[in-house]
Amino acid sequence: MADKKTFYITTPIYYPSGNPHIGHCYSTLACDAIARMKRMQGYDVMFSTGTDEHGQKIEKKAQEMGITPKAYVDEIVANFKKLWATLGIKYDRFVRTTDDYHIKTVQNMFEKLYNDGYIYKGEYRGKYCTPCESFWTESQLVDGKCPDCGREVTEASEEAYFFKLSEFGPRLKELLLDPEKNFLEPKSRVNEMINNFIEPGLQDLCVSRTSVKWGIPVTIDEGHYIYVWMDALTNYISLLGFMNDTYNDYEKYWPADMHVMAKEIVRFHSLIWPAFLMALGEPLPKKVYGHGWITFDGGKMSKSKGNVIDPFVLCERYGVDALRYHLLREMVFGSDCPYSNEQMFSRINSDLANDLGNLVSRTVAMAIKYFDGTLPEEKEFTDADNELLEQLDQLPDFVSETFETMRFSEGLAKVFSVIARANKYIDENEPWKLAKDETAKPRLAAVLYNLLDAIRRIAVLLEPVMPHTSPKIYEQIGADASNTTWESTKVRHALAANVTVTKGEVLFPRIDIDKEIEELNKLFPAEEKGKDLEPLKPLTKFDNFAALDLRAVKVLSCEKVEKSDKLLKFKVDDGFGERQVLSGIAKYYKPEDLIGKTLAMIVNLEPRKMMGLESNGMILSVKYGDGYRVVEFDDSVLPGSDIS
Ligand code: ME8
């Protein structure tokens, strides 16, 4: 027998820097649905997902919690796996970048690229966004800030290894514009990549760090650690066994058929990843799909509208398949998609309970009522059946084509339009009237049989999206393994002519939307405003304020206080002369960054001693995240100026 055709699909490997949320669910569900469909279509599928565990963010979080980075990620990775199990995600391989085989591949690949002259040692100077772990060129900054997250960037410089990304501009442009390949979808992103990154000139890519120790060590230079994207992207081949001995699937599955991700990391997948592969002399992935974001009230979650979006809670209350269907139905490929529970409830009620659920329950109930559950062999088909049958005939190819290009929304809308057509077919043929006429029994049997067989074909096409519901439908309509294959959806009347139906549970109970939102609000009360703030103090006399002398002061010098990890020692000019003051902000500032700044200070507090040093006043700071920021003025404010 000839080998099966293979199909390799990947999700991004997620950062286990926080627990998975509904956004992560979308990419993973989309890949799962495609993988399931491809398996049904007879492909030998490799569907991979995993976690991207190295880097500064995770190192910092673990440090804050006083545990090792590995212990920190282990717990979150377990939550990712638990969520995927809850959502019915059937991945074939879960890669962790801390897995030995992955580390081996990344190290081997680094060495090869170094030996072949694609990686060299240099000094990096540039704008660096710490939270995003990204270096940016001046032209990529938006208003001088990180284009991804909008936060401040800082000038960074360190000894580092570089990958010669700058050499690959022309080949990458050719790849992106190749009309045969359609490498990157949606097409709108192609211009973005070319205009924003290739045309201005690709910069060589920093692929190692010395300051972040939580990473894969560079084997040829102690103290250097491989820097995020080279580590992360390589997962797609390490998990197949490229340059490691753990797996032996590279020849079989590479190149990947589809890399799926959201838009913010398309750049890494459509420029850097192919460039690495070009340098390695390996085949390129066939397709990169960058979908939009699931957004919450314009970016933020809100509990006040019953907008609980804990995927575990949603699955438990409304069912896994309802959530799977809703997410895949709502997101139009390429656009962002706002999430709201209210919208999900409407979808469940209209599509799942009313249209699909009713079609199944009405049809099964009629077969039981009119034929005791088993249809007679004798049937009378007429031209009135043609329209429904023709619509069904067109579905399999359309579903297949839309699903595998991430256009689930279109594909599902079409399936549900045929479900609506089937419901209309019931109303047009009025089985309840046929049942009253003994001579119309063959026609009645044909009508019910057409309906049951339509449900069969529809349920099979929906199985990739609703894998728990379709088998329940098969049971109710008397379908079996032979007539629930993907191929069988192309065939009319594959159900046994004398099929027996069985009454089953209600597939999707209707939701009373107002009541449910009230219920959710009770379960998850909206957070009280100001809950995390210091409580307000009682009123005080104006004189108490007037007694304080608040001034602008200029920092002349600033240094750490020995043996204290909190205190900084300042010399400031208060307009009248110099004075020494201490402040407990050493964790949030480098001393040299404060020199020359004009700050706000209370200058008439009685002197206090700290760590044996005298402090004459108090520098004002404001709470900022987990730390503090000094209150500062621009240079035009003179030292000694009164603050009132
Ligand atoms: O970027 N809407 O990891 P990450 C839709 N480790 N999709 C969303 C989403 C949302 N609101 N939020 C997250 C990383 N996603 C890197 C990837 S790959 C070699 C390395 C999904 O945890 C979406 O797929 O930040 C997005 O691209 C990905 O999670 C980002 O995951």
Side-chain angles (χ1 to χ4, degrees):
M1 203 175 87
D3 281 345
K4 280 195 200 173
K5 280 182 290 179
T6 60
F7 187 83
Y8 179 26
I9 184 166
T10 71
T11 74
I13 49 170
Y14 305 112
Y15 290 129
S17 52
N19 279 324
H21 54 69
I22 211 147
H24 297 114
C25 294
Y26 179 75
S27 313
T28 315
L29 278 177
C31 290
D32 184 63
I34 295 172
R36 283 175 180 273
M37 179 179 79
K38 288 285 173 182
R39 285 188 204 108
M40 290 171 79
Q41 292 173 342
Y43 286 79
D44 176 338
V45 172
M46 170 62 80
F47 162 28
S48 76
T49 188
T51 40
D52 183 2
E53 306 185 3
H54 293 120
Q56 199 166 5
K57 232 194 253 176
I58 284 164
E59 192 178 45
K60 267 196 223 151
K61 288 220 167 169
Q63 215 170 21
E64 278 164 25
M65 289 173 71
I67 54 175
T68 63
K70 184 66 169 45
Y72 174 79
V73 293
D74 278 350
E75 197 171 311
I76 297 178
V77 170
N79 286 337
F80 269 93
K81 288 188 172 171
K82 190 170 145 206
L83 179 59
W84 300 155
T86 304
L87 283 174
I89 304 292
K90 254 175 84 179
Y91 54 78
D92 298 290
R93 204 153 286 169
F94 190 104
V95 58
R96 300 182 57 174
T97 53
T98 49
D99 285 338
D100 288 343
Y101 69 85
H102 173 78
I103 293 172
K104 196 104 241 113
T105 297
V106 174
Q107 289 179 329
N108 286 337
M109 184 171 135
F110 188 101
E111 273 186 43
K112 177 168 167 45
L113 293 175
Y114 179 78
N115 291 335
D116 292 349
Y118 287 108
I119 285 181
Y120 64 93
K121 192 170 181 173
E123 161 111 337
Y124 194 88
R125 278 173 197 288
K127 305 288 181 193
Y128 183 68
C129 174
T130 310
C132 295
E133 297 178 336
S134 289
F135 279 106
W136 300 99
T137 60
E138 201 73 50
S139 64
Q140 289 167 343
L141 299 179
V142 175
D143 299 331
K145 300 199 170 138
C146 172
D148 270 0
C149 71
R151 278 179 272 211
E152 295 288 341
V153 290
T154 50
E155 196 72 31
S157 125
E158 65 179 16
E159 193 183 63
Y161 284 89
F162 287 84
F163 171 71
K164 288 187 183 165
L165 183 62
S166 58
E167 283 190 3
F168 292 89
R171 283 178 70 188
L172 289 169
K173 187 170 169 185
E174 198 181 313
L175 169 71
L176 288 168
L177 291 176
D178 188 332
E180 303 277 289
K181 291 203 171 91
N182 286 318
F183 179 71
L184 173 58
E185 299 279 0
K187 300 242 175 348
S188 56
R189 304 239 181 274
V190 171
N191 285 338
E192 192 184 316
M193 292 304 119
I194 294 178
N195 298 339
N196 296 357
F197 299 105
I198 300 182
E199 292 302 352
L202 290 169
Q203 307 278 316
D204 284 350
L205 179 80
C206 181
V207 289
S208 77
R209 300 287 307 267
T210 50
S211 48
V212 184
K213 309 271 182 263
W214 177 236
I216 298 177
V218 171
T219 45
I220 55 167
D221 199 346
E222 204 175 318
H224 287 258
Y225 295 85
I226 291 166
Y227 174 65
V228 289
W229 283 99
M230 184 164 176
D231 175 359
L233 290 162
T234 305
N235 89 84
Y236 300 129
I237 50 179
S238 72
L239 69 88
L240 296 178
F242 180 75
M243 286 187 159
N244 72 58
D245 297 329
T246 304
Y247 293 110
N248 195 16
D249 296 315
Y250 184 70
E251 295 300 322
K252 185 169 175 192
Y253 293 108
W254 192 256
D257 294 271
M258 279 177 89
H259 288 314
V260 173
M261 73 223 57
K263 58 188 180 181
E264 82 289 353
I265 54 173
V266 159
R267 171 167 86 96
F268 301 100
H269 287 79
S270 61
L271 300 175
I272 296 172
W273 180 226
F276 281 151
L277 292 162
M278 285 171 185
L280 287 167
E282 296 298 323
L284 306 181
K286 292 181 199 158
K287 288 269 197 182
V288 167
Y289 282 89
H291 59 75
W293 284 332
I294 295 185
T295 59
F296 311 95
D297 285 353
K300 275 193 122 190
M301 296 179 218
S302 159
K303 289 190 174 175
S304 60
K305 295 182 184 161
N307 221 353
V308 180
I309 44 111
D310 178 338
F312 288 106
V313 174
L314 297 180
C315 286
E316 196 191 304
R317 292 183 77 83
Y318 317 113
V320 176
D321 283 5
L323 179 63
R324 290 176 65 109
Y325 172 74
H326 174 68
L327 290 181
L328 294 173
R329 173 68 182 82
E330 282 302 315
M331 173 81 96
V332 173
F333 179 62
S335 310
D336 287 350
C337 171
Y339 177 84
S340 95
N341 281 331
E342 209 168 330
Q343 221 163 22
M344 175 157 112
F345 301 156
S346 307
R347 271 272 169 238
I348 292 176
N349 284 349
S350 65
D351 295 8
L352 301 182
N354 269 8
D355 295 351
L356 175 62
N358 266 348
L359 175 65
V360 175
S361 65
R362 281 165 91 189
T363 307
V364 169
M366 287 190 288
I368 292 173
K369 185 167 174 194
Y370 304 136
F371 294 111
D372 283 336
T374 301
L375 296 191
E377 300 261 354
E378 196 194 346
K379 300 187 184 74
E380 184 194 329
F381 295 103
T382 72
D383 285 349
D385 305 334
N386 290 348
E387 196 186 316
L388 176 62
L389 289 169
E390 277 157 20
Q391 286 196 10
L392 285 161
D393 291 344
Q394 285 162 18
L395 272 189
D397 286 347
F398 189 78
V399 167
S400 182
E401 205 251 321
T402 50
F403 282 18
E404 69 186 17
T405 47
M406 298 281 294
R407 288 150 52 220
F408 291 99
S409 165
E410 252 178 90
L412 290 170
K414 183 68 134 206
V415 174
F416 277 78
S417 75
V418 180
I419 292 175
R421 183 66 194 83
N423 274 317
K424 193 167 149 224
Y425 176 85
I426 300 182
D427 300 336
E428 284 167 356
N429 288 283
E430 300 179 306
W432 45 91
K433 281 196 184 150
L434 296 173
K436 288 187 184 139
D437 175 359
E438 202 49 40
T439 63
K441 282 273 152 111
R443 179 62 194 147
L444 176 61
V447 168
L448 293 182
Y449 182 71
N450 274 330
L451 285 165
L452 288 170
D453 202 61
I455 294 170
R456 172 190 67 82
R457 297 168 81 179
I458 285 164
V460 176
L461 296 173
L462 288 176
E463 191 181 315
V465 174
M466 299 200 276
H468 310 87
T469 302
S470 294
K472 289 185 198 161
I473 298 178
Y474 302 154
E475 210 178 300
Q476 294 195 33
I477 62 167
D480 58 37
S482 73
N483 47 33
T484 52
T485 62
W486 193 268
E487 271 314 295
S488 76
T489 61
K490 297 175 183 163
V491 181
R492 292 181 180 186
H493 297 161
L495 275 182
N498 60 349
V499 64
T500 300
V501 303
T502 319
K503 192 170 158 42
E505 58 180 300
V506 174
L507 295 172
F508 297 97
R510 275 188 71 81
I511 296 174
D512 179 332
I513 298 182
D514 291 340
K515 217 167 116 195
E516 185 57 28
I517 287 181
E518 212 172 289
E519 201 63 24
L520 283 178
N521 283 337
K522 260 191 247 151
L523 279 172
F524 304 93
E527 295 210 359
E528 224 178 292
K529 206 160 183 255
K531 168 177 138 307
D532 297 327
L533 299 176
E534 285 290 318
L536 291 171
K537 291 178 184 162
L539 294 180
T540 189
K541 297 234 176 318
F542 182 78
D543 287 354
N544 288 336
F545 169 70
L548 292 175
D549 195 351
L550 286 149
R551 305 284 179 135
V553 298
K554 192 167 181 87
V555 179
L556 302 172
S557 71
C558 177
E559 59 192 76
K560 289 195 84 156
V561 171
E562 241 180 83
K563 296 200 188 118
S564 165
D565 54 358
K566 279 201 192 142
L567 286 179
L568 290 179
K569 184 175 83 175
F570 293 81
K571 276 252 157 15
V572 298
D573 176 358
D574 62 13
F576 299 88
E578 287 182 21
R579 63 164 79 204
Q580 174 172 297
V581 61
L582 303 174
S583 178
I585 52 173
K587 280 197 186 145
Y588 320 116
Y589 284 100
K590 284 199 217 120
E592 59 270 26
D593 290 345
L594 290 168
I595 297 171
K597 282 192 190 281
T598 305
L599 307 180
M601 183 169 140
I602 308 175
V603 294
N604 64 337
L605 286 178
E606 288 170 358
R608 270 173 78 191
K609 277 216 162 164
M610 290 181 257
M611 305 287 288
L613 297 167
E614 193 170 281
S615 181
N616 298 284
M618 192 168 114
I619 290 174
L620 298 184
S621 301
V622 59
K623 187 133 181 53
Y624 186 85
D626 291 335
Y628 283 90
R629 282 265 188 277
V630 290
V631 177
E632 60 180 295
F633 305 107
D634 65 43
D635 286 349
S636 59
V637 174
L638 294 176
S641 302
D642 202 35
I643 303 173
S644 55

